[in-house]
Amino acid sequence: MEANFEIGEKVKCKKFGALNHDFVGSIEKIYENSAMVSIIEHDDSDELAVSDFHKRAIVRLKSMKKIS
């Protein structure tokens, strides 16, 4: 787990809920154990779920990794 995330960082997030594949996003807001992530890259088969989420998701910090 990486605890030093910052707003605006690009992260890879593990799949959860209605999403069947991992996705890439940008951190918009950081909470105590999670962050709001704007979804910027996702698998085409997850388009409906991403649309339902309004291209945002709350993701546990343990389920994301920084992309350099």
Side-chain angles (χ1 to χ4, degrees):
M1 177 182 92
E2 297 180 49
N4 299 325
F5 291 104
E6 294 182 17
I7 293 175
E9 283 186 317
K10 197 172 179 182
V11 291
K12 181 167 184 170
C13 304
K14 291 184 181 177
K15 64 182 179 175
F16 70 94
L19 296 170
N20 295 318
H21 301 87
D22 294 350
F23 60 94
V24 174
S26 174
I27 296 176
E28 289 189 357
K29 186 169 184 176
I30 300 173
Y31 302 104
E32 191 172 325
N33 296 310
S34 60
M36 180 186 299
V37 176
S38 175
I39 301 171
I40 53 179
E41 295 176 26
H42 59 86
D43 192 89
D44 290 338
S45 65
D46 288 332
E47 181 63 38
L48 183 60
V50 171
S51 179
D52 286 347
F53 293 161
H54 300 287
K55 298 195 179 229
R56 288 190 172 93
I58 302 295
V59 182
R60 293 182 307 166
L61 296 177
K62 292 179 179 182
S63 297
M64 62 175 68
K65 184 177 180 181
K66 292 180 188 180
I67 297 176
S68 46

